Amino acid sequence: MRIVKWLAITLVAVLPLSGIAWAEQGSSADAAGVPAAVLDRLPSVVRIFVVIEQPAGGRMMKIAGAGSGAIISPDGYVVTNHHVAGNASHVVCNLADQQDVPARLVGTDALADVAVLKLDTSKLRDPEAPLPVARWGDSDALRMGDPVYAMGSPAAISQSVTKGVIANDRMIMPRIGLGGTLKLDGEDVGSVVRWLAHDAAIFGGNSGGPLLDARGEIVGINEIGFANLSGAIPGNLARSVARQLIEKGEVPRAWLGLRLQARLKEQSEGALVSHVDEGSPAADAGILPGDLVLRVAEVETPCRIDEDVPIVTAQLFGLAIGEACSVTFLRGTERIEAVITPARRGAGPAPHGGPPAPWPHMHGRRTRSLRRRLTLPSCAGALITGVRTAGAAATAVPPLQPDDVITSVNGVPIGSSASFREAVKAAGGAKVTLGVLRDEAEMLVLADLDAPLPKTPAARPSRSWLPIQTQVVTEDLAKVLGVDAHGALRVTRVLPCEGCPFRIGDILTHVGEQPVRARRSTDARTLERLIERQPVGAVIEVALLRDGAALAVEAKLLATPLDPARLPTAEIAALEFTGRDAGELERARGVVVTEVEPGGWAALAGLATGDIVQQLGSRRVRSAQELSAVASEVLASRPERVVLLVERERVTRFLVVEPVWR
């Protein structure tokens, strides 16, 4: 079943005619049913016109959009959604009296989808005239059936109001598999927001507009449409976030490094830990996936149902950063007391920046989720999000690609896209040497603004294999490294292997008696050619340079890793999915799901192709053979529920499969 959710922002370039027709009809609606206190607030509602720049093919594309907001202070602060204005490069607010007033972004918070703008009051017709201001109400006082009024600019028309009732005062995205999330710039809004669902009609352009109660007070910020309902961010949350953005320019949050989900039916207290980040405060406290957290400091964690999780998560974000506190959790029947010190949660991605025109588009900052997905050692550097065809990135040796992270320019470390631009400018000339992280490999890339696009060599099979990845030491790179330019290979990655003698940065010069004559990008497979005639298991001598010193090491040749299609598989027919062993070059720790029967039991639980099954029931599984054996034992009794621990995009979660046995 496909659940439809959408953000209520209008892209002006594709303004839907149906939305305009609705607006014209709505403008003639009888206002007798709308309290005067609500209509009195209409002048505080603003239309927000934005220009958003988005990367496409390594260049920035400009898109015009429109949303809504409300003036919340006499000096001109305006609250709206992050997805309306958080990445805008140009903002103009149209007031109820049709004044167009420029505004600047004060602060934005993708996690709560709240942003604050500041009107340039000097541009008002009468800068001394008081602004109409909306008042905040208490969203916690709302109950199902209470009347509410959605204000905003549907389809980018002038300010409007629609009437409805609260249909659900604690709406979350349905838990269909690992979906059911609303992600903005890498942040999961649903992890802290429990929406106010109502049936007051909103459309594209209503995003950021206020939801008022019968007293004319803001109790929500409209954000999404879901099925036939509208969803608003609770006003109390939006008010708190807006206040911090105004006072601090950001929302500081505590980070424990764990993810919670509702506990399983047989568990009576606490919240189930579904994932723990490596090196996090939670990991340091000894917490593991599968534990039940009962309390952190004074925050209790009673997550009986999914709707409880956002409230508890938001409370944990409010813990004192850097102050050690107690944590109580259960592991099985054992009650454990420990100490945990919340760290500061990293900021979300920076707004789209503008690197030099010939270079790829970049993000200057990265969230921990991106760091986890890309297995990066830190959040420093510039993340490439797009490469322009035939630009400097495409013609680099080797070519840059999305998800690469530039960490240095000519040996000088960089921390962001801004420092990258400064380093390129300081280097001068057309050629630079870049330090690049790619899939755990530490590469050196030579970029030349005038270099021709290289050709990719055809793949060749090999019978023997060394567990390393290398790059060609071209003549130019040899000069940078201070080595002979007759040809060599530089080690960029060392894969796990018992007794492997290589290190990242080693320069391979000879394999046996044969020199490594690799000087061009087309020589990338030189190492394979040198060892392909050697038998598997043979021990060869490799001459190399390490930190400027020459030495020789002995390396044992291994068999070329099997193609994933040839790895052992296991079909779990009762649960209707198939998995295979993880390949030697994959980072998976478990069984890789290769097929999920559409409409099957595993599919209904949310299992998807590419997921990694780490645990079935209470048993760990590391191979297809183990999965088959464990499944045979666990499923022999035909249990009503089977719990799977799966990993997707470096995040683990428990899924519950509930087969009907026949």
Side-chain angles (χ1 to χ4, degrees), residues 12-54:
V12 175
V14 290
L15 192 64
L17 294 178
S18 59
I20 295 175
W22 169 86
E24 290 173 344
Q25 294 168 6
S27 64
S28 62
D30 182 8
V34 179
V38 173
L39 295 178
D40 287 345
R41 300 278 77 78
L42 195 59
S44 67
V45 179
V46 300
R47 273 189 294 181
I48 301 173
F49 295 104
V50 298
V51 175
I52 300 173
E53 296 185 67
Q54 294 183 341

Side-chain angles (χ1 to χ4, degrees), residues 5-7 9 54 82-84 87 109-113 173 178-193 195 223-224 259 275 345 349 367-370 372-373 648-653:
K5 60 178 181 287
W6 46 271
L7 294 169
I9 183 173
Q54 294 183 341
H82 165 80
H83 76 261
V84 170
N87 288 320
D109 182 55
L111 186 62
D113 196 13
M173 297 292 105
L178 296 181
T181 61
L182 174 61
K183 289 194 174 182
L184 294 173
D185 287 343
E187 298 281 23
D188 182 5
V189 180
S191 65
V192 295
V193 173
W195 287 273
E223 180 190 25
I224 59 172
R259 294 197 178 204
H275 179 83
R345 189 176 189 271
T367 59
R368 285 190 173 94
S369 61
L370 279 170
R372 179 176 56 243
R373 178 173 67 83
R648 180 185 298 173
E649 294 183 348
R650 294 313 219 170
V651 174
T652 53
R653 183 180 177 88

Side-chain angles (χ1 to χ4, degrees), residues 308-589:
D308 296 331
V309 177
I311 302 302
V312 170
T313 301
Q315 290 177 324
L316 294 178
F317 280 151
L319 292 171
I321 299 170
E323 294 186 12
C325 58
S326 63
V327 57
T328 305
F329 57 95
L330 294 177
R331 181 170 298 154
T333 58
E334 181 184 5
R335 188 182 185 95
I336 301 174
E337 301 282 345
V339 174
I340 191 168
T341 304
R344 185 182 180 88
R345 189 176 189 271
H352 298 309
W359 293 93
H361 179 69
M362 300 173 178
H363 271 312
R365 292 180 293 174
R366 298 193 301 282
T367 59
R368 285 190 173 94
S369 61
L370 279 170
R371 177 182 173 185
R372 179 176 56 243
R373 178 173 67 83
L374 299 175
T375 60
L376 301 171
S378 74
C379 287
L383 173 68
I384 296 178
T385 59
V387 174
R388 189 171 185 176
T389 304
T395 58
V397 181
L400 295 173
Q401 59 191 37
D403 282 349
D404 283 352
V405 177
I406 299 178
T407 59
S408 67
V409 176
N410 291 342
V412 179
I414 64 168
S416 66
S417 58
S419 59
F420 168 77
R421 294 194 295 273
E422 294 171 0
V424 170
K425 183 178 180 180
K431 296 182 179 180
V432 290
T433 303
L434 307 176
V436 175
L437 288 177
R438 178 186 297 171
D439 293 333
E440 298 185 9
E442 300 177 17
M443 307 180 65
L444 290 177
V445 174
L446 297 179
D448 186 341
L449 298 180
D450 302 317
L453 196 65
K455 297 181 179 179
T456 303
R460 292 180 58 191
S462 63
R463 291 169 295 186
S464 295
W465 176 71
L466 285 174
I468 59 176
Q469 292 179 356
T470 62
Q471 69 177 108
V472 174
V473 178
T474 62
E475 292 183 6
D476 289 340
L477 182 55
K479 295 177 183 177
V480 173
L481 297 175
V483 300
D484 291 339
H486 71 272
L489 294 169
R490 179 180 179 274
V491 177
T492 61
R493 183 183 181 190
V494 179
L495 298 165
C497 176
E498 183 178 354
C500 185
F502 301 104
R503 298 181 186 174
I504 293 174
D506 285 349
I507 308 294
L508 310 185
T509 59
H510 288 77
V511 175
E513 298 296 325
Q514 302 181 71
V516 178
R517 299 192 182 280
R519 288 181 291 182
R520 299 176 296 274
S521 59
T522 52
D523 298 330
R525 305 186 73 85
T526 296
L527 182 60
E528 292 182 21
R529 290 196 294 269
L530 291 173
I531 66 174
E532 64 183 354
R533 296 185 183 275
Q534 301 283 344
V536 173
V539 176
I540 62 173
E541 183 176 273
V542 179
L544 54 85
L545 297 174
R546 178 177 296 166
D547 298 329
L551 68 153
V553 299
E554 290 187 341
K556 183 178 180 179
L557 296 178
L558 307 178
T560 301
L562 287 175
D563 186 287
R566 298 175 57 193
L567 293 171
T569 63
E571 180 183 1
I572 313 302
L575 303 183
E576 301 175 289
F577 77 92
T578 301
R580 64 161 173 83
D581 284 358
E584 292 182 49
L585 299 181
E586 295 177 310
R587 298 190 295 265
R589 293 176 292 181

Side-chain angles (χ1 to χ4, degrees), residues 161-216:
V161 60
T162 55
K163 179 181 178 180
V165 299
I166 293 293
N168 186 328
D169 57 2
R170 52 179 185 173
M171 183 179 79
I172 63 172
M173 297 292 105
R175 182 163 54 90
I176 298 179
L178 296 181
T181 61
L182 174 61
K183 289 194 174 182
L184 294 173
D185 287 343
E187 298 281 23
D188 182 5
V189 180
S191 65
V192 295
V193 173
R194 198 166 66 175
W195 287 273
L196 298 172
H198 60 88
D199 63 352
I202 67 171
F203 294 89
N206 271 111
S207 274
L211 183 72
L212 306 183
D213 61 14
R215 293 182 294 275

Side-chain angles (χ1 to χ4, degrees), residues 287-301:
I287 301 173
L288 299 174
D291 290 344
L292 285 166
V293 173
L294 306 181
R295 176 190 291 269
V296 182
E298 300 303 317
V299 178
E300 296 185 353
T301 58

